[in-house]
Amino acid sequence: MSHPLLQSLRHDVTGGLVSSAVAIPLAIGFGMFAFVTLGEEYFAHGAIAGLVSAFVAGVACVAFGDRTTTVYAPRITTTFFLGLLLYSLVHSETPALNNASVASILAVFFATILMGGAFQALFGLVRLGTLIKYAPHPVMAGFQNMAAVLLFLVQLSNVLGYERTISFTQVFQHIGEAKPLNVMVALVTFAAMWNAKKFAGRVPPLLVGLGCGLALYYGLVLAGFGAQLGHAIGTSPMNVVVARPISQFADLANLKTLWNSASTILSGALALALIASIDALLCAKLAGEPRSDSDRLLVRLGLANVGSACLGGITSGINIGASITNRGFGGRTPVSVLVNALALLATFTLLFSYVAHLPRAVLSAVIMVIAVQHIDPWTKQLAARLFQSDTPQRGVVALDFGIALLVSILSIALNIVMAVFIGVALAVFLFVFRMSRSNIRRLYRCDSVRSRKSRGVGEMLVLEVKGNSILVIELQGALFFGSGERLAQIIESETAVSTGVVILDLRRMTEIDATGAQILADINATLGRRKIKLALVRSERSETAARLADIGGASIYRFQDVDRAIEWAEDDLLTLASPAQPAGEITLERVSALRDFSPDQITRFSRYLTRVRWNAGQVIFQEGDPGSDLFFVTRGRASVYLHSESGNIRLVTFAPGTVFGELAILDQGPRSASVIADEEVTAFGLSLSAFEALRRDEPDIAIKLLSALGRELSDRLRRANRTIHQLET
């Protein structure tokens, strides 16, 4: 058996090499896309820029502490940004860039990438990673969708096999120059990659598509059809200026251009950093790396992109497909990432003359599949929901879809940098707009919804009539100035109707700031002046509980769950409704199940009962115990619990005048739950043997008792149905 270290190394090498085979074509294709504005003579330079960036990102991120198996490469959203940025620089009318040389334009281009990396690292250093995660999805989806569409369209010229690069806006004007065999090669490549999982097993679909496309392309070349096919990537003519950013930054001829373009560089860099950061944090989640720290990831990637810009590379991010492939083929440590990076280094230093023979049609078909796969699935689902007749909250759906579409259009119609900042402004507007809306999840009154405390008939009648004076409001989201003021207005409106208690369920609140806490204190003071009690429901150890610890003092009642809060409110209501109710043990006549029994029947029935008593905290019976007795409670309270891994779940509490354990008489099965005395409990028990004697000696009472127990169960079921209906609606 091989040594564990050697075995681990073998797995890492395999994962790194296979994942590099996936990363290399993508890096080449995205690099070419970033440089497409400069024409096809810069295709090779773009390909090298993509490879350099992937190599630098992998080595730098491992050097700066990444201990995962994440593989890095150019990303579709950042490459889309860079492609449009370079286009805007080439066609700029500003004095600093108008008629500037390619070398000067590239100096500004790489300076933007460098500063973008610096901003990205700064975001991580000041711990903005967590905040950036909450960028509204419609904004990022808009960029991603337009990037995918544009990336797809740019490939049309290569797919159709034109002799020269033609803009996708004019591609169909030259359709007569298209080469059908080249289109066939692209279609076969596309179909093979798209359907690879159906017939190729674990082989990465990208490699399947490349393999099929290369075999068909060069098979046709060998068959003598080379003239009817499009070109390969090719090498660059020697007279074309090669990007050397470090020397270009120091070149006196470019310093003036860089200085005069400072505002363009800084604004573009900030926009690039925002897009790269959002994309990186999203990809970290999708790539399935549980050990990823948002802020450290941004620092590593930012520094890597700074180094990439200095060496002629573009912006990189997390390559999801290659990362998954790396792990799928054995990569377990950062060694696999370094192996991947070394393969990229070898590709652009030693093997690029071979890579240059990669057919453009094959590479473009692969990129087209990637583009289609990058159409945001959320946007597609949103569009489908928008045209369904039964879609709830159609206005919200339309707003989200409209924002995604607007950002996509602005990315092309306006300067890409301006589009980014408009997207950020839309994000802020959406946040403020949605946070200012009501954060009430549900609102109901307790004439239909009851606590789990089982009560006698008289008390239930009181609660049915006056239970609507208990108002329960479930909250969600964040509570700050805007949403807090809205909550205060709703409470004021709702309590205009006779209300004695307001219960606020805060367990789903994600955050309460100081202003929100003060608004709750003001709500409590306002309700107090109107003799309305306020109760708060919150988890004991939550941040919400800590924030609200000092507000309101003893005038605010606090509970850990809504059921206990409603029970407290019901008790308070019943005390006010029947203040003269005598304390102590009640008689059997006041037990709800025996309310139709005559005094004579009560007397005869009591002969079969046994008086029992339990102390507070004593277990009356356990879940699973044999069922043998039912009990009529005449004093104290006992609660029913189900055992679970997270603790005991209270189902119901029995008060004086109620009955429990009746299933022992009806089906004689084991106890379905445990019952524990909340306080000293007194009850009268009817054993199974006593019931058999009652049925034999007093059949009229036995029949009446069974009828009463059936009525009790029916009442409980009806109340449960009303509660479910109320909560669901």
Side-chain angles (χ1 to χ4, degrees):
M1 181 181 292
S2 61
H3 192 278
L5 288 178
L6 292 177
Q7 189 175 8
S8 175
L9 179 61
R10 184 169 65 251
H11 288 318
D12 283 334
V13 170
T14 302
L17 290 176
V18 176
S19 63
S20 70
V22 175
I24 288 169
L26 292 180
I28 291 173
F30 287 157
M32 291 169 58
F33 176 74
F35 280 70
V36 70
T37 298
L38 300 179
E40 65 182 68
E41 63 269 23
Y42 275 86
F43 275 8
H45 295 325
I48 291 176
L51 293 168
V52 167
S53 64
F55 163 73
V56 172
V59 173
C61 286
V62 172
F64 291 131
D66 187 358
R67 294 297 176 261
T68 69
T69 55
T70 303
V71 176
Y72 300 90
R75 289 283 301 156
I76 188 171
T77 48
T78 52
T79 305
F80 164 68
F81 179 92
L82 292 175
L84 292 187
L85 174 67
L86 187 56
Y87 178 87
S88 67
L89 295 177
V90 170
H91 297 86
S92 176
E93 297 296 331
T94 60
L97 295 172
N98 193 16
N99 297 321
S101 66
V102 173
S104 295
I105 290 174
L106 287 177
V108 173
F109 179 70
F110 285 111
T112 304
I113 296 174
L114 187 151
M115 290 302 300
F119 278 129
Q120 190 176 11
L122 182 62
F123 291 163
L125 288 173
V126 298
R127 300 189 176 279
L128 288 179
T130 303
L131 181 62
I132 292 174
K133 281 183 179 179
Y134 294 105
H137 194 80
V139 175
M140 198 60 190
F143 288 115
Q144 181 173 323
N145 292 333
M146 185 51 69
V149 170
L150 189 60
L151 185 64
F152 185 95
L153 294 175
V154 166
Q155 310 307 317
L156 290 176
S157 179
N158 291 333
V159 167
L160 293 171
Y162 292 150
E163 292 295 324
R164 64 191 187 284
T165 302
I166 295 175
S167 169
F168 69 86
T169 59
Q170 301 176 350
V171 71
F172 292 109
Q173 298 176 15
H174 300 267
I175 197 67
E177 303 173 26
K179 298 178 178 179
L181 283 181
N182 199 71
V183 176
M184 182 183 72
V185 170
L187 289 175
V188 169
T189 303
F190 189 103
M193 182 174 173
W194 188 266
N195 298 287
K197 291 183 178 179
K198 298 178 181 178
F199 61 86
R202 292 184 61 203
V203 181
L206 187 147
L207 299 185
V208 174
L210 280 178
C212 293
L214 284 169
L216 179 58
Y217 181 90
Y218 282 106
L220 290 171
V221 170
L222 292 175
F225 296 101
Q228 300 178 40
L229 296 171
H231 297 301
I233 293 176
T235 56
S236 300
M238 296 302 295
N239 61 340
V240 176
V241 178
V242 179
R244 296 187 300 273
I246 293 179
S247 61
Q248 289 173 347
F249 296 154
D251 191 335
L252 293 177
N254 294 327
L255 283 178
K256 183 178 180 180
T257 302
L258 290 170
W259 178 257
N260 293 332
S261 303
S263 61
T264 300
I265 292 172
L266 291 175
S267 60
L270 182 58
L272 175 61
L274 286 170
I275 290 179
S277 298
I278 296 171
D279 181 74
L281 297 178
L282 176 63
C283 290
K285 181 178 180 181
L286 296 178
E289 285 291 358
R291 294 170 288 172
S292 176
D293 178 87
S294 300
D295 296 314
R296 292 180 180 178
L297 172 63
L298 295 184
V299 172
R300 288 195 296 264
L301 267 176
L303 295 177
N305 288 327
V306 169
S308 175
C310 292
L311 297 176
I314 56 178
T315 302
S316 280
I318 293 177
N319 188 325
I320 298 176
S323 298
I324 294 175
T325 300
N326 185 20
R327 290 195 296 274
F329 281 84
R332 293 294 180 269
T333 73
V335 172
S336 62
V337 181
L338 295 177
V339 171
N340 179 285
L342 289 175
L344 289 160
L345 176 64
T347 300
F348 67 81
T349 56
L350 303 176
L351 305 175
F352 193 74
S353 58
Y354 298 100
V355 174
H357 294 290
L358 182 65
R360 295 180 187 177
V362 174
L363 182 60
S364 289
V366 167
I367 298 298
M368 280 180 157
V369 174
I370 300 297
V372 172
Q373 292 173 341
H374 273 76
I375 295 291
D376 182 53
W378 173 85
T379 309
K380 292 186 286 188
Q381 294 171 3
L382 209 65
R385 289 176 56 198
L386 190 61
F387 294 101
Q388 291 175 355
S389 58
D390 58 345
T391 298
Q393 296 184 318
R394 184 182 296 274
V396 176
V397 173
L399 177 62
D400 285 344
F401 184 78
I403 290 172
L405 186 61
L406 177 62
V407 171
S408 296
I409 294 172
L410 291 177
S411 301
I412 299 297
L414 294 181
N415 179 283
I416 182 63
V417 177
M418 184 65 69
V420 172
F421 290 121
I422 291 176
V424 172
L426 283 172
V428 174
F429 171 77
L430 275 178
F431 174 80
V432 173
F433 173 74
R434 285 176 172 164
M435 293 298 285
S436 63
R437 293 186 301 174
S438 171
N439 51 2
I440 293 178
R441 179 175 181 265
R442 188 171 2 196
L443 183 151
Y444 56 88
R445 292 185 177 269
C446 293
D447 49 345
S448 297
V449 177
R450 303 282 167 72
S451 72
R452 296 173 188 159
K453 185 174 182 179
S454 184
R455 303 177 185 276
V457 177
E459 292 182 338
M460 295 301 295
L461 291 174
V462 172
L463 293 178
E464 286 179 5
V465 174
K466 299 187 176 182
N468 64 347
S469 65
I470 303 172
L471 173 65
V472 180
I473 302 177
E474 296 179 9
L475 303 180
Q476 62 185 0
L479 189 68
F480 70 116
F481 177 75
S483 56
E485 286 294 333
R486 176 64 175 155
L487 174 63
Q489 294 172 4
I490 291 175
I491 290 178
E492 183 178 0
S493 173
E494 289 292 331
T495 55
V497 181
S498 178
T499 303
V501 176
V502 174
I503 299 172
L504 296 182
D505 184 357
L506 309 178
R507 292 173 299 168
R508 296 178 181 83
M509 297 297 298
T510 56
E511 183 180 356
I512 297 180
D513 67 0
T515 306
Q518 184 57 48
I519 289 174
L520 284 180
D522 295 341
I523 290 173
N524 179 57
T526 301
L527 293 176
R529 287 191 293 269
R530 299 170 56 194
K531 307 300 182 183
I532 299 174
K533 296 179 180 179
L534 176 65
L536 303 182
V537 178
R538 76 282 184 274
S539 300
E540 197 63 45
R541 297 182 179 179
S542 65
E543 292 184 10
T544 300
R547 174 74 72 178
L548 301 176
D550 299 327
I551 71 164
S555 62
I556 294 184
Y557 300 87
R558 293 170 170 84
F559 299 91
Q560 293 187 23
D561 60 63
V562 174
D563 179 61
R564 285 181 171 84
I566 296 176
E567 179 185 328
W568 160 80
E570 290 174 346
D571 289 341
D572 187 68
L573 178 62
L574 291 171
T575 300
L576 294 174
S578 305
Q581 186 174 9
E585 185 176 352
I586 66 172
T587 61
L588 284 174
E589 286 85 350
R590 293 178 58 192
V591 173
S592 60
L594 306 178
R595 65 180 182 269
D596 293 334
F597 281 46
S598 66
D600 175 64
Q601 288 174 324
I602 291 289
T603 301
R604 289 155 53 198
F605 179 51
S606 63
R607 297 170 187 164
Y608 297 86
L609 302 178
T610 303
R611 194 169 188 271
V612 289
R613 187 181 65 82
W614 298 276
N615 294 324
Q618 187 174 350
V619 176
I620 298 175
F621 54 73
Q622 291 274 17
E623 180 180 350
D625 287 351
S628 58
D629 298 82
L630 68 81
F631 300 97
F632 301 95
V633 182
T634 56
R635 181 180 181 181
R637 295 181 306 159
S639 293
V640 182
Y641 295 93
L642 279 180
H643 296 293
S644 69
E645 294 181 359
S646 58
N648 291 336
I649 302 173
R650 187 181 77 149
L651 298 181
V652 66
T653 296
F654 292 105
T658 59
V659 58
F660 66 87
E662 65 277 3
L663 294 182
I665 299 298
L666 297 177
D667 66 5
Q668 303 177 21
R671 299 296 190 184
S672 58
S674 300
V675 178
I676 301 174
D678 297 327
E679 56 193 32
E680 184 178 312
V681 174
T682 301
F684 285 87
L686 177 67
S687 67
L688 187 58
S689 58
F691 176 73
E692 291 297 332
L694 178 70
R695 188 172 61 174
R696 183 183 62 250
D697 300 334
E698 305 281 356
D700 60 320
I701 297 178
I703 293 173
K704 200 165 188 177
L705 176 63
L706 290 176
S707 176
L709 294 178
R711 185 175 62 247
E712 285 287 312
L713 293 175
S714 176
D715 288 344
R716 293 178 192 175
L717 181 60
R718 289 179 185 277
R719 289 197 298 271
N721 287 339
R722 286 199 300 269
T723 298
I724 293 171
H725 180 267
Q726 176 70 29
L727 294 178
E728 287 297 322
T729 55

